[in-house]
Amino acid sequence: MSSTKTSQANTDIFGYLSDFLAYLKSHILYTIGTYLFIITLYGSWAFQDIVTFDEEGLYSAYNASIWYEQWISLGRFSLVALKRLLNVYVISPFFSMTVFLLLFPLSVLLVNYCLYLWNQRKDSPLASFLMLFVYLTHPIWALQFQYQNQIEVISVIFCVLPIGMIALYDYLRTKRPPAGILALLLLVFSFGGYQSFIFVYLELAVVMLLLMLDWAYISRREVWKDFLRIIFFTIIAFAIYEAIVIVTRRLFGSSVPYLNSQIEWKTQPFSECAAKTMQYLRKLFLGTDTYVYSKLFGLEALLLLVWGCVLFIRKKKFSPERLLLVLAWMICPVLLGIVTTGNLVERAEFAFIFAIGSGCYLLFRSIDSQNRYCKSILALVLCLAVIRVQMVPITRLLYTGSVTMRNDARWMDSIYRLAEENGAAPGDAIWFIGGQVNFDNGAAYSNEVIGISYFEITGFATDKAVQAMQDYGYNVCSPSQEQIEEASRLAQDMPNWPARESVQVKDHLIVVKMS
Protein backbone atom coordinates (compact mmCIF):
# COMPACT_ATOMS: atom_id res chain seq x y z
CA MET A 1 0.00 0.00 0.00
CA SER A 2 1.23 3.43 -0.89
CA SER A 3 3.10 5.52 1.65
CA THR A 4 1.48 8.71 0.30
CA LYS A 5 -1.87 7.39 1.40
CA THR A 6 -0.66 6.79 4.94
CA SER A 7 0.92 10.14 5.68
CA GLN A 8 -0.37 10.01 9.25
CA ALA A 9 2.00 7.12 9.95
CA ASN A 10 5.74 7.20 10.58
CA THR A 11 8.03 7.23 7.55
CA ASP A 12 10.99 5.70 9.43
CA ILE A 13 10.88 2.25 11.00
CA PHE A 14 13.01 3.48 13.89
CA GLY A 15 10.59 6.34 14.41
CA TYR A 16 8.13 3.80 15.75
CA LEU A 17 10.06 3.77 19.02
CA SER A 18 9.25 7.39 19.79
CA ASP A 19 5.74 6.86 18.50
CA PHE A 20 5.28 3.85 20.83
CA LEU A 21 6.51 5.90 23.78
CA ALA A 22 4.03 8.62 22.83
CA TYR A 23 1.33 5.95 22.66
CA LEU A 24 2.18 4.77 26.18
CA LYS A 25 2.13 8.36 27.43
CA SER A 26 -1.26 9.04 25.90
CA HIS A 27 -2.55 5.74 27.32
CA ILE A 28 -0.91 6.09 30.72
CA LEU A 29 -3.82 4.63 32.71
CA TYR A 30 -3.95 1.59 30.44
CA THR A 31 -0.18 1.17 30.73
CA ILE A 32 -0.10 1.43 34.53
CA GLY A 33 -3.19 -0.76 34.79
CA THR A 34 -1.53 -3.50 32.72
CA TYR A 35 1.48 -3.67 35.05
CA LEU A 36 -0.69 -3.51 38.17
CA PHE A 37 -2.91 -6.29 36.86
CA ILE A 38 0.12 -8.50 36.14
CA ILE A 39 1.43 -7.97 39.68
CA THR A 40 -2.01 -8.60 41.17
CA LEU A 41 -2.60 -11.79 39.19
CA TYR A 42 0.89 -13.30 39.27
CA GLY A 43 2.41 -11.62 42.33
CA SER A 44 1.67 -14.28 44.96
CA TRP A 45 3.23 -16.88 42.67
CA ALA A 46 6.13 -14.75 41.43
CA PHE A 47 7.40 -13.39 44.76
CA GLN A 48 8.81 -16.61 46.17
CA ASP A 49 12.08 -18.49 45.96
CA ILE A 50 11.41 -22.10 45.05
CA VAL A 51 12.93 -24.55 42.59
CA THR A 52 10.27 -25.39 40.04
CA PHE A 53 9.92 -28.55 37.96
CA ASP A 54 12.54 -28.78 35.17
CA GLU A 55 14.30 -25.69 36.54
CA GLU A 56 16.58 -27.90 38.64
CA GLY A 57 18.93 -28.57 35.73
CA LEU A 58 20.01 -24.95 35.24
CA TYR A 59 21.65 -24.25 38.60
CA SER A 60 25.04 -25.56 37.42
CA ALA A 61 26.93 -25.02 34.18
CA TYR A 62 27.39 -28.75 33.59
CA ASN A 63 23.71 -29.66 33.93
CA ALA A 64 22.67 -26.53 32.01
CA SER A 65 24.79 -27.49 29.00
CA ILE A 66 22.81 -30.74 28.69
CA TRP A 67 19.51 -28.82 28.72
CA TYR A 68 20.70 -26.31 26.13
CA GLU A 69 21.82 -29.06 23.76
CA GLN A 70 18.27 -30.40 23.96
CA TRP A 71 16.90 -26.92 23.21
CA ILE A 72 19.12 -26.67 20.14
CA SER A 73 17.89 -30.08 18.99
CA LEU A 74 14.30 -28.88 19.41
CA GLY A 75 14.95 -25.85 17.19
CA ARG A 76 15.04 -23.37 20.09
CA PHE A 77 18.34 -21.74 19.20
CA SER A 78 17.06 -18.25 20.13
CA LEU A 79 16.46 -19.32 23.73
CA VAL A 80 20.07 -20.50 24.03
CA ALA A 81 21.38 -17.31 22.40
CA LEU A 82 19.37 -15.14 24.80
CA LYS A 83 20.58 -17.17 27.79
CA ARG A 84 24.13 -16.34 26.72
CA LEU A 85 23.34 -12.72 25.92
CA LEU A 86 21.59 -12.07 29.24
CA ASN A 87 24.31 -13.92 31.17
CA VAL A 88 21.82 -16.39 32.64
CA TYR A 89 23.39 -19.57 31.24
CA VAL A 90 23.28 -20.64 34.86
CA ILE A 91 19.88 -19.53 36.10
CA SER A 92 19.40 -16.34 38.10
CA PRO A 93 15.90 -16.80 39.57
CA PHE A 94 15.34 -13.24 40.83
CA PHE A 95 16.64 -11.71 37.60
CA SER A 96 14.45 -14.05 35.55
CA MET A 97 11.32 -13.09 37.49
CA THR A 98 12.21 -9.38 37.23
CA VAL A 99 12.50 -9.69 33.44
CA PHE A 100 9.16 -11.49 33.33
CA LEU A 101 7.36 -8.82 35.38
CA LEU A 102 8.83 -6.08 33.18
CA LEU A 103 8.56 -7.61 29.71
CA PHE A 104 5.44 -9.77 29.76
CA PRO A 105 3.12 -6.78 30.32
CA LEU A 106 5.23 -4.77 27.85
CA SER A 107 4.56 -7.46 25.23
CA VAL A 108 0.81 -6.97 25.71
CA LEU A 109 1.22 -3.22 25.28
CA LEU A 110 3.20 -3.83 22.09
CA VAL A 111 0.44 -6.04 20.72
CA ASN A 112 -2.13 -3.38 21.54
CA TYR A 113 0.06 -0.80 19.82
CA CYS A 114 0.06 -3.04 16.74
CA LEU A 115 -3.74 -3.16 16.81
CA TYR A 116 -3.81 0.61 17.21
CA LEU A 117 -1.58 1.05 14.14
CA TRP A 118 -3.49 -1.42 12.01
CA ASN A 119 -6.78 0.19 13.10
CA GLN A 120 -5.66 3.47 11.43
CA ARG A 121 -4.52 4.85 14.82
CA LYS A 122 -8.07 4.80 16.09
CA ASP A 123 -8.57 4.08 19.77
CA SER A 124 -10.95 1.33 20.88
CA PRO A 125 -10.55 1.55 24.69
CA LEU A 126 -13.10 -1.10 25.62
CA ALA A 127 -11.91 -3.50 22.94
CA SER A 128 -8.30 -3.01 24.10
CA PHE A 129 -9.24 -3.58 27.74
CA LEU A 130 -11.13 -6.79 26.96
CA MET A 131 -8.28 -8.04 24.81
CA LEU A 132 -5.94 -7.42 27.76
CA PHE A 133 -8.22 -9.10 30.31
CA VAL A 134 -8.92 -12.18 28.20
CA TYR A 135 -5.30 -12.52 27.09
CA LEU A 136 -3.56 -12.21 30.48
CA THR A 137 -5.90 -14.48 32.42
CA HIS A 138 -5.72 -17.54 30.20
CA PRO A 139 -4.75 -20.76 32.07
CA ILE A 140 -2.20 -21.68 29.40
CA TRP A 141 0.12 -19.04 30.86
CA ALA A 142 0.24 -20.91 34.17
CA LEU A 143 1.34 -24.04 32.31
CA GLN A 144 3.99 -22.18 30.31
CA PHE A 145 5.43 -20.06 33.12
CA GLN A 146 5.70 -23.03 35.45
CA TYR A 147 8.88 -23.63 33.44
CA GLN A 148 10.82 -20.85 35.13
CA ASN A 149 14.01 -22.16 33.54
CA GLN A 150 13.03 -20.23 30.39
CA ILE A 151 10.66 -17.56 31.65
CA GLU A 152 12.99 -14.60 31.05
CA VAL A 153 13.98 -15.54 27.49
CA ILE A 154 10.40 -16.38 26.53
CA SER A 155 9.34 -12.95 27.84
CA VAL A 156 11.95 -11.31 25.61
CA ILE A 157 10.63 -13.12 22.53
CA PHE A 158 7.07 -12.11 23.38
CA CYS A 159 8.32 -8.54 22.87
CA VAL A 160 10.46 -9.29 19.81
CA LEU A 161 7.54 -10.82 17.87
CA PRO A 162 5.21 -7.76 17.87
CA ILE A 163 8.20 -5.53 17.04
CA GLY A 164 8.78 -7.78 14.05
CA MET A 165 5.12 -7.38 13.11
CA ILE A 166 5.50 -3.58 13.26
CA ALA A 167 8.48 -3.84 10.91
CA LEU A 168 6.48 -6.09 8.56
CA TYR A 169 3.60 -3.60 8.60
CA ASP A 170 6.02 -0.80 7.73
CA TYR A 171 7.43 -2.88 4.89
CA LEU A 172 3.95 -3.49 3.46
CA ARG A 173 3.12 0.20 3.40
CA THR A 174 6.51 1.66 2.35
CA LYS A 175 8.15 -1.26 0.45
CA ARG A 176 11.50 -0.25 1.96
CA PRO A 177 13.97 -3.17 2.03
CA PRO A 178 15.44 -2.27 5.48
CA ALA A 179 12.02 -2.67 7.07
CA GLY A 180 11.52 -6.02 5.36
CA ILE A 181 14.96 -7.27 6.38
CA LEU A 182 14.41 -6.17 9.99
CA ALA A 183 11.03 -7.91 10.05
CA LEU A 184 12.60 -11.07 8.63
CA LEU A 185 15.38 -11.11 11.24
CA LEU A 186 13.07 -10.47 14.18
CA LEU A 187 10.45 -13.00 13.13
CA VAL A 188 12.98 -15.75 12.37
CA PHE A 189 14.52 -15.08 15.79
CA SER A 190 11.04 -15.42 17.32
CA PHE A 191 10.45 -18.74 15.53
CA GLY A 192 13.73 -19.93 17.07
CA GLY A 193 12.29 -19.53 20.55
CA TYR A 194 9.38 -21.92 20.14
CA GLN A 195 7.77 -23.39 17.04
CA SER A 196 4.47 -22.10 18.45
CA PHE A 197 5.57 -18.54 17.68
CA ILE A 198 5.22 -19.39 13.99
CA PHE A 199 1.47 -19.78 14.50
CA VAL A 200 1.30 -16.65 16.67
CA TYR A 201 2.88 -14.76 13.78
CA LEU A 202 0.33 -16.19 11.35
CA GLU A 203 -2.52 -15.21 13.67
CA LEU A 204 -1.24 -11.65 14.03
CA ALA A 205 -0.71 -11.38 10.26
CA VAL A 206 -4.33 -12.40 9.68
CA VAL A 207 -5.57 -9.83 12.22
CA MET A 208 -3.41 -7.14 10.57
CA LEU A 209 -4.94 -7.88 7.18
CA LEU A 210 -8.47 -7.95 8.64
CA LEU A 211 -8.02 -4.49 10.12
CA MET A 212 -6.44 -3.16 6.92
CA LEU A 213 -9.60 -4.08 5.00
CA ASP A 214 -11.35 -1.19 6.75
CA TRP A 215 -8.93 1.36 5.33
CA ALA A 216 -11.00 3.63 3.07
CA TYR A 217 -8.36 4.19 0.42
CA ILE A 218 -7.10 0.62 -0.07
CA SER A 219 -8.03 -1.15 -3.31
CA ARG A 220 -8.76 -4.81 -3.92
CA ARG A 221 -5.59 -5.08 -5.98
CA GLU A 222 -3.51 -3.74 -3.09
CA VAL A 223 -5.21 -6.14 -0.69
CA TRP A 224 -4.30 -9.17 -2.76
CA LYS A 225 -0.76 -7.89 -3.28
CA ASP A 226 -0.39 -7.69 0.50
CA PHE A 227 -1.82 -11.20 0.85
CA LEU A 228 0.75 -12.54 -1.60
CA ARG A 229 3.60 -10.54 -0.06
CA ILE A 230 2.86 -12.00 3.38
CA ILE A 231 2.64 -15.54 1.97
CA PHE A 232 5.97 -15.06 0.18
CA PHE A 233 7.50 -13.45 3.28
CA THR A 234 6.30 -16.35 5.46
CA ILE A 235 7.84 -18.95 3.15
CA ILE A 236 11.21 -17.16 3.21
CA ALA A 237 11.14 -16.71 6.99
CA PHE A 238 10.28 -20.36 7.60
CA ALA A 239 12.96 -21.52 5.15
CA ILE A 240 15.60 -19.44 6.93
CA TYR A 241 14.43 -20.76 10.30
CA GLU A 242 14.65 -24.37 9.10
CA ALA A 243 18.12 -23.76 7.65
CA ILE A 244 19.35 -22.37 10.99
CA VAL A 245 17.85 -25.35 12.82
CA ILE A 246 19.67 -27.79 10.53
CA VAL A 247 22.99 -25.96 10.93
CA THR A 248 22.76 -25.64 14.72
CA ARG A 249 21.76 -29.28 15.10
CA ARG A 250 24.77 -30.40 13.10
CA LEU A 251 27.08 -28.15 15.10
CA PHE A 252 25.85 -29.71 18.34
CA GLY A 253 25.65 -33.19 16.83
CA SER A 254 22.24 -34.11 18.16
CA SER A 255 18.63 -34.22 17.09
CA VAL A 256 15.43 -34.84 19.01
CA PRO A 257 12.41 -35.76 16.84
CA TYR A 258 10.14 -33.86 19.24
CA LEU A 259 7.51 -32.63 16.80
CA ASN A 260 7.90 -35.51 14.33
CA SER A 261 7.09 -37.99 17.08
CA GLN A 262 3.82 -36.16 17.66
CA ILE A 263 2.67 -36.39 14.05
CA GLU A 264 0.62 -39.59 13.83
CA TRP A 265 -0.94 -39.16 10.37
CA LYS A 266 1.95 -41.15 8.82
CA THR A 267 1.96 -43.97 11.37
CA GLN A 268 -1.62 -44.42 12.61
CA PRO A 269 -4.86 -45.31 10.74
CA PHE A 270 -6.58 -42.33 9.14
CA SER A 271 -9.86 -42.98 10.99
CA GLU A 272 -8.07 -42.97 14.36
CA CYS A 273 -6.21 -39.76 13.54
CA ALA A 274 -9.41 -38.10 12.32
CA ALA A 275 -11.22 -39.07 15.53
CA LYS A 276 -8.41 -37.66 17.69
CA THR A 277 -8.37 -34.45 15.65
CA MET A 278 -12.13 -33.98 16.02
CA GLN A 279 -11.86 -34.54 19.76
CA TYR A 280 -9.11 -31.90 19.88
CA LEU A 281 -11.21 -29.40 17.89
CA ARG A 282 -14.24 -29.99 20.14
CA LYS A 283 -12.04 -29.26 23.14
CA LEU A 284 -10.80 -25.96 21.69
CA PHE A 285 -14.06 -24.71 20.22
CA LEU A 286 -16.49 -26.03 22.84
CA GLY A 287 -14.30 -26.28 25.93
CA THR A 288 -15.26 -29.93 26.58
CA ASP A 289 -13.41 -32.18 29.05
CA THR A 290 -10.98 -29.46 30.13
CA TYR A 291 -10.67 -26.45 32.40
CA VAL A 292 -7.84 -24.96 30.29
CA TYR A 293 -10.18 -24.13 27.40
CA SER A 294 -13.68 -22.67 27.39
CA LYS A 295 -16.48 -22.00 24.94
CA LEU A 296 -15.20 -18.46 24.39
CA PHE A 297 -13.17 -19.29 21.27
CA GLY A 298 -16.08 -21.15 19.69
CA LEU A 299 -18.45 -18.26 20.45
CA GLU A 300 -16.05 -15.72 18.97
CA ALA A 301 -15.58 -17.87 15.87
CA LEU A 302 -19.35 -18.15 15.42
CA LEU A 303 -19.93 -14.39 15.80
CA LEU A 304 -17.10 -13.49 13.44
CA LEU A 305 -18.39 -15.97 10.87
CA VAL A 306 -21.89 -14.53 11.12
CA TRP A 307 -20.44 -11.05 10.79
CA GLY A 308 -18.47 -12.10 7.71
CA CYS A 309 -21.46 -13.84 6.12
CA VAL A 310 -23.75 -10.83 6.70
CA LEU A 311 -21.23 -8.54 5.00
CA PHE A 312 -20.91 -11.03 2.16
CA ILE A 313 -24.68 -11.22 1.65
CA ARG A 314 -24.91 -7.44 1.68
CA LYS A 315 -22.06 -7.32 -0.86
CA LYS A 316 -20.00 -4.99 1.26
CA LYS A 317 -16.51 -3.98 0.19
CA PHE A 318 -13.96 -6.78 0.59
CA SER A 319 -16.60 -9.14 2.00
CA PRO A 320 -15.11 -12.25 0.25
CA GLU A 321 -11.64 -11.37 1.53
CA ARG A 322 -12.99 -10.68 5.00
CA LEU A 323 -14.75 -14.03 5.16
CA LEU A 324 -11.61 -15.79 3.95
CA LEU A 325 -9.54 -14.07 6.65
CA VAL A 326 -12.05 -14.97 9.37
CA LEU A 327 -11.64 -18.61 8.37
CA ALA A 328 -7.86 -18.14 8.49
CA TRP A 329 -8.23 -16.56 11.96
CA MET A 330 -10.02 -19.74 13.07
CA ILE A 331 -7.56 -22.16 11.47
CA CYS A 332 -4.21 -20.62 12.52
CA PRO A 333 -4.45 -21.39 16.26
CA VAL A 334 -5.58 -24.99 15.66
CA LEU A 335 -3.29 -25.79 12.74
CA LEU A 336 -0.52 -27.29 14.89
CA GLY A 337 -3.08 -29.40 16.73
CA ILE A 338 -4.52 -30.68 13.43
CA VAL A 339 -1.05 -31.63 12.18
CA THR A 340 -0.30 -33.49 15.44
CA THR A 341 -3.84 -34.92 15.83
CA GLY A 342 -4.13 -32.98 19.07
CA ASN A 343 -1.03 -34.72 20.43
CA LEU A 344 0.70 -31.62 21.76
CA VAL A 345 1.19 -29.96 25.12
CA GLU A 346 -1.31 -27.25 25.99
CA ARG A 347 1.38 -24.87 27.27
CA ALA A 348 2.64 -24.42 23.69
CA GLU A 349 -0.66 -23.15 22.26
CA PHE A 350 0.21 -19.44 22.40
CA ALA A 351 -1.60 -18.79 19.14
CA PHE A 352 -4.87 -19.85 20.76
CA ILE A 353 -4.50 -17.13 23.41
CA PHE A 354 -3.71 -14.52 20.76
CA ALA A 355 -6.77 -15.69 18.83
CA ILE A 356 -9.27 -15.24 21.66
CA GLY A 357 -7.70 -11.91 22.64
CA SER A 358 -7.80 -10.55 19.09
CA GLY A 359 -11.30 -12.00 18.65
CA CYS A 360 -12.56 -9.86 21.52
CA TYR A 361 -10.87 -6.84 19.98
CA LEU A 362 -12.34 -7.45 16.51
CA LEU A 363 -15.86 -8.00 17.83
CA PHE A 364 -16.05 -5.08 20.23
CA ARG A 365 -14.54 -2.58 17.83
CA SER A 366 -17.27 -3.63 15.38
CA ILE A 367 -20.11 -2.88 17.81
CA ASP A 368 -21.82 0.45 17.27
CA SER A 369 -19.80 2.93 19.34
CA GLN A 370 -22.89 5.05 19.99
CA ASN A 371 -24.73 2.28 21.81
CA ARG A 372 -22.56 2.48 24.91
CA TYR A 373 -25.15 0.98 27.28
CA CYS A 374 -25.44 -2.26 25.30
CA LYS A 375 -21.70 -2.37 24.77
CA SER A 376 -21.01 -1.97 28.49
CA ILE A 377 -23.48 -4.71 29.45
CA LEU A 378 -21.89 -7.12 26.98
CA ALA A 379 -18.42 -6.26 28.30
CA LEU A 380 -19.53 -6.83 31.89
CA VAL A 381 -21.03 -10.22 31.04
CA LEU A 382 -17.82 -11.19 29.22
CA CYS A 383 -15.63 -10.14 32.17
CA LEU A 384 -17.73 -12.15 34.62
CA ALA A 385 -17.54 -15.17 32.32
CA VAL A 386 -13.77 -14.81 31.93
CA ILE A 387 -13.31 -14.61 35.70
CA ARG A 388 -15.15 -17.91 36.04
CA VAL A 389 -13.68 -19.87 33.11
CA GLN A 390 -10.15 -18.42 33.00
CA MET A 391 -9.15 -16.43 36.07
CA VAL A 392 -10.18 -19.08 38.60
CA PRO A 393 -8.39 -21.91 36.74
CA ILE A 394 -5.17 -19.94 36.18
CA THR A 395 -4.96 -18.93 39.85
CA ARG A 396 -5.66 -22.51 40.95
CA LEU A 397 -2.90 -23.76 38.66
CA LEU A 398 -0.44 -21.16 39.97
CA TYR A 399 -1.41 -22.08 43.53
CA THR A 400 -1.03 -25.80 42.88
CA GLY A 401 2.43 -25.45 41.33
CA SER A 402 3.60 -23.18 44.13
CA VAL A 403 2.35 -25.29 47.04
CA THR A 404 3.58 -28.56 45.51
CA MET A 405 7.11 -27.23 45.12
CA ARG A 406 7.11 -25.66 48.60
CA ASN A 407 6.02 -28.99 50.09
CA ASP A 408 8.83 -30.68 48.17
CA ALA A 409 11.31 -28.23 49.70
CA ARG A 410 10.04 -29.10 53.19
CA TRP A 411 10.33 -32.83 52.49
CA MET A 412 13.88 -32.37 51.22
CA ASP A 413 14.83 -30.57 54.41
CA SER A 414 13.20 -33.23 56.60
CA ILE A 415 14.88 -36.06 54.68
CA TYR A 416 18.33 -34.48 54.87
CA ARG A 417 18.03 -33.68 58.57
CA LEU A 418 17.02 -37.26 59.29
CA ALA A 419 19.93 -38.51 57.16
CA GLU A 420 22.33 -36.32 59.18
CA GLU A 421 20.97 -37.81 62.40
CA ASN A 422 21.72 -41.24 60.93
CA GLY A 423 25.33 -40.32 60.18
CA ALA A 424 25.26 -38.75 56.72
CA ALA A 425 28.29 -36.63 55.85
CA PRO A 426 28.64 -33.73 53.38
CA GLY A 427 29.04 -35.02 49.84
CA ASP A 428 27.27 -38.35 50.40
CA ALA A 429 25.29 -39.88 47.55
CA ILE A 430 21.50 -40.03 47.85
CA TRP A 431 19.02 -42.31 46.11
CA PHE A 432 15.24 -42.61 46.29
CA ILE A 433 13.33 -45.86 45.94
CA GLY A 434 9.76 -45.59 44.62
CA GLY A 435 7.62 -42.47 44.59
CA GLN A 436 4.95 -40.76 46.61
CA VAL A 437 2.40 -37.97 45.97
CA ASN A 438 3.35 -34.97 48.05
CA PHE A 439 0.35 -32.67 47.70
CA ASP A 440 -3.29 -33.21 46.87
CA ASN A 441 -6.39 -31.35 48.02
CA GLY A 442 -9.71 -30.19 46.61
CA ALA A 443 -8.39 -26.72 45.78
CA ALA A 444 -5.63 -28.01 43.50
CA TYR A 445 -5.70 -28.25 39.71
CA SER A 446 -3.08 -30.53 38.20
CA ASN A 447 -2.05 -30.30 34.56
CA GLU A 448 1.13 -31.25 32.72
CA VAL A 449 3.97 -30.68 35.24
CA ILE A 450 1.85 -28.55 37.58
CA GLY A 451 0.98 -30.61 40.64
CA ILE A 452 3.74 -33.15 40.02
CA SER A 453 6.09 -33.58 42.96
CA TYR A 454 9.76 -34.43 42.56
CA PHE A 455 9.06 -37.31 44.93
CA GLU A 456 6.19 -38.53 42.78
CA ILE A 457 8.63 -39.41 39.98
CA THR A 458 11.59 -40.65 42.02
CA GLY A 459 10.69 -44.17 40.97
CA PHE A 460 11.90 -43.46 37.42
CA ALA A 461 13.58 -40.00 37.49
CA THR A 462 15.47 -39.84 40.76
CA ASP A 463 18.19 -37.59 39.36
CA LYS A 464 15.72 -34.68 39.17
CA ALA A 465 15.09 -34.85 42.93
CA VAL A 466 18.84 -35.13 43.60
CA GLN A 467 19.53 -32.06 41.44
CA ALA A 468 16.73 -30.13 43.16
CA MET A 469 18.29 -30.90 46.56
CA GLN A 470 21.64 -29.68 45.24
CA ASP A 471 19.95 -26.48 44.05
CA TYR A 472 18.66 -25.83 47.58
CA GLY A 473 22.22 -26.16 48.87
CA TYR A 474 22.20 -29.69 50.24
CA ASN A 475 25.65 -31.23 49.79
CA VAL A 476 24.62 -34.49 48.10
CA CYS A 477 25.49 -36.20 44.84
CA SER A 478 24.15 -38.89 42.52
CA PRO A 479 25.26 -42.44 43.33
CA SER A 480 27.23 -44.87 41.19
CA GLN A 481 25.58 -47.89 39.62
CA GLU A 482 26.96 -50.10 42.40
CA GLN A 483 25.46 -47.78 45.02
CA ILE A 484 22.09 -47.83 43.24
CA GLU A 485 22.06 -51.63 43.38
CA GLU A 486 23.01 -51.51 47.06
CA ALA A 487 20.19 -49.01 47.72
CA SER A 488 17.68 -51.39 46.12
CA ARG A 489 18.83 -54.19 48.42
CA LEU A 490 18.66 -52.04 51.55
CA ALA A 491 15.19 -50.74 50.68
CA GLN A 492 13.65 -54.20 50.75
CA ASP A 493 13.56 -54.19 54.56
CA MET A 494 12.75 -50.49 55.01
CA PRO A 495 9.35 -48.89 55.69
CA ASN A 496 7.98 -46.12 53.47
CA TRP A 497 8.49 -42.42 54.04
CA PRO A 498 7.77 -40.59 56.37
CA ALA A 499 8.72 -43.30 58.88
CA ARG A 500 12.06 -42.52 60.53
CA GLU A 501 13.46 -45.84 59.36
CA SER A 502 12.65 -44.93 55.75
CA VAL A 503 15.94 -42.96 55.61
CA GLN A 504 19.08 -45.07 56.05
CA VAL A 505 22.77 -44.22 55.68
CA LYS A 506 25.44 -46.79 54.82
CA ASP A 507 28.94 -46.30 53.44
CA HIS A 508 28.32 -42.69 52.37
CA LEU A 509 25.05 -43.65 50.68
CA ILE A 510 21.71 -42.14 51.76
CA VAL A 511 18.79 -44.41 50.89
CA VAL A 512 15.25 -43.03 51.03
CA LYS A 513 12.34 -45.40 50.49
CA MET A 514 9.27 -43.50 49.25
CA SER A 515 7.14 -46.55 48.39
Side-chain angles (χ1 to χ4, degrees):
M1 74 212 34
S2 172
S3 58
T4 60
K5 293 180 180 179
T6 55
S7 59
Q8 79 275 20
N10 285 302
T11 57
D12 183 358
I13 180 60
F14 299 103
Y16 282 103
L17 174 60
S18 59
D19 189 62
F20 175 63
L21 295 176
Y23 170 82
L24 295 182
K25 186 177 180 180
S26 62
H27 298 76
I28 189 65
L29 291 178
Y30 185 81
T31 301
I32 294 174
T34 300
Y35 276 91
L36 289 177
F37 185 70
I38 287 286
I39 293 174
T40 302
L41 181 61
Y42 294 92
S44 298
W45 162 82
F47 299 138
Q48 56 185 335
D49 181 22
I50 55 174
V51 178
T52 58
F53 204 84
D54 269 3
E55 185 187 17
E56 75 283 340
L58 300 188
Y59 279 79
S60 72
Y62 173 76
N63 290 330
S65 64
I66 298 173
W67 278 89
Y68 296 143
E69 286 183 13
Q70 292 178 357
W71 286 5
I72 289 291
S73 298
L74 296 173
R76 300 174 186 173
F77 54 85
S78 296
L79 297 188
V80 180
L82 284 171
K83 283 285 188 178
R84 288 290 193 184
L85 181 64
L86 296 175
N87 195 26
V88 286
Y89 191 83
V90 174
I91 196 169
S92 177
F94 286 8
F95 174 81
S96 297
M97 196 55 66
T98 300
V99 172
F100 164 72
L101 292 174
L102 286 174
L103 295 191
F104 185 53
L106 178 62
S107 69
V108 184
L109 295 171
L110 282 166
V111 171
N112 266 285
Y113 176 65
C114 287
L115 298 175
Y116 168 75
L117 284 179
W118 304 337
N119 197 32
Q120 305 175 78
R121 298 177 179 268
K122 295 177 182 176
D123 272 324
S124 297
L126 186 58
S128 295
F129 165 76
L130 292 173
M131 183 270 179
L132 167 80
F133 189 59
V134 170
Y135 179 85
L136 292 179
T137 59
H138 201 280
I140 285 178
W141 294 131
L143 303 177
Q144 174 56 228
F145 295 140
Q146 181 69 11
Y147 287 84
Q148 293 184 24
N149 57 351
Q150 60 186 30
I151 193 171
E152 76 285 272
V153 288
I154 286 291
S155 298
V156 171
I157 294 180
F158 274 120
C159 291
V160 171
L161 181 61
I163 295 174
M165 295 303 300
I166 293 171
L168 177 59
Y169 162 77
D170 186 72
Y171 172 70
L172 290 177
R173 50 178 280 282
T174 65
K175 312 302 183 295
R176 279 198 302 263
I181 294 171
L182 179 62
L184 197 62
L185 292 174
L186 293 177
L187 292 173
V188 169
F189 189 79
S190 299
F191 299 169
Y194 239 96
Q195 288 91 341
S196 302
F197 281 111
I198 298 172
F199 301 94
V200 175
Y201 153 72
L202 293 174
E203 188 69 20
L204 287 175
V206 168
V207 173
M208 176 174 64
L209 291 171
L210 268 170
L211 291 173
M212 284 181 173
L213 292 181
D214 290 335
W215 291 20
Y217 49 78
I218 191 171
S219 66
R220 175 166 270 111
R221 182 181 179 185
E222 288 176 316
V223 167
W224 279 100
K225 280 186 176 181
D226 284 337
F227 284 6
L228 296 176
R229 286 189 186 103
I230 287 181
I231 292 173
F232 183 66
F233 184 91
T234 302
I235 293 172
I236 293 176
F238 185 75
I240 295 174
Y241 162 73
E242 282 293 319
I244 295 174
V245 169
I246 292 171
V247 170
T248 51
R249 281 177 177 172
R250 288 183 177 177
L251 288 175
F252 281 83
S254 60
S255 179
V256 179
Y258 181 68
L259 186 58
N260 291 338
S261 65
Q262 295 178 316
I263 301 176
E264 298 182 354
W265 291 98
K266 295 181 179 180
T267 59
Q268 301 298 323
F270 178 83
S271 58
E272 181 179 331
C273 292
K276 288 183 178 180
T277 302
M278 290 304 299
Q279 183 179 3
Y280 166 78
L281 293 176
R282 281 197 299 270
K283 180 177 68 174
L284 262 67
F285 281 91
L286 303 178
T288 56
D289 303 323
T290 178
Y291 51 78
V292 174
Y293 304 103
S294 67
K295 295 179 174 59
L296 182 58
F297 181 57
L299 179 61
E300 288 180 351
L302 178 62
L303 292 175
L304 286 173
L305 275 176
V306 171
W307 170 60
C309 290
V310 168
L311 294 179
F312 183 81
I313 292 171
R314 293 180 177 179
K315 298 182 179 180
K316 295 291 185 178
K317 185 181 180 182
F318 299 134
S319 55
E321 291 82 1
R322 197 181 307 274
L323 191 57
L324 180 65
L325 286 172
V326 168
L327 292 173
W329 174 88
M330 294 170 54
I331 293 172
C332 285
V334 303
L335 187 58
L336 183 59
I338 293 174
V339 171
T340 61
T341 62
N343 184 28
L344 74 166
V345 291
E346 293 172 336
R347 65 178 178 271
E349 298 205 72
F350 306 148
F352 180 78
I353 311 176
F354 278 85
I356 61 173
S358 61
C360 283
Y361 183 88
L362 292 169
L363 288 169
F364 274 84
R365 68 177 281 275
S366 301
I367 297 176
D368 184 7
S369 58
Q370 295 180 354
N371 194 348
R372 294 184 178 180
Y373 178 77
C374 179
K375 198 173 183 178
S376 299
I377 292 296
L378 288 174
L380 178 61
V381 171
L382 176 61
C383 286
L384 292 174
V386 169
I387 289 174
R388 185 179 186 278
V389 301
Q390 289 193 179
M391 199 166 179
V392 171
I394 188 176
T395 50
R396 284 191 187 275
L397 287 167
L398 293 172
Y399 159 78
T400 303
S402 174
V403 175
T404 303
M405 295 296 101
R406 288 206 309 268
N407 284 350
D408 274 4
R410 284 194 286 267
W411 274 20
M412 291 174 190
D413 187 67
S414 299
I415 288 169
Y416 192 73
R417 288 181 183 276
L418 189 54
E420 284 184 318
E421 292 177 10
N422 292 339
D428 282 355
I430 187 170
W431 196 246
F432 298 88
I433 305 296
Q436 191 174 136
V437 175
N438 188 10
F439 172 71
D440 186 20
N441 67 29
Y445 273 6
S446 297
N447 193 300
E448 295 185 4
V449 300
I450 291 181
I452 297 179
S453 162
Y454 281 112
F455 298 104
E456 190 175 340
I457 63 169
T458 45
F460 58 88
T462 297
D463 280 336
K464 294 180 77 67
V466 176
Q467 288 180 10
M469 291 189 70
Q470 293 171 339
D471 299 340
Y472 278 118
Y474 299 104
N475 192 354
V476 295
C477 66
S478 296
S480 64
Q481 184 59 40
E482 291 78 8
Q483 288 176 313
I484 292 175
E485 294 172 359
E486 176 64 18
S488 298
R489 286 192 293 269
L490 288 173
Q492 292 177 4
D493 300 322
M494 293 167 55
N496 296 336
W497 172 262
R500 292 185 62 85
E501 295 78 12
S502 64
V503 180
Q504 300 288 333
V505 180
K506 182 180 179 181
D507 297 332
H508 299 287
L509 171 65
I510 304 170
V511 181
V512 185
K513 185 176 181 182
M514 303 304 299
S515 65

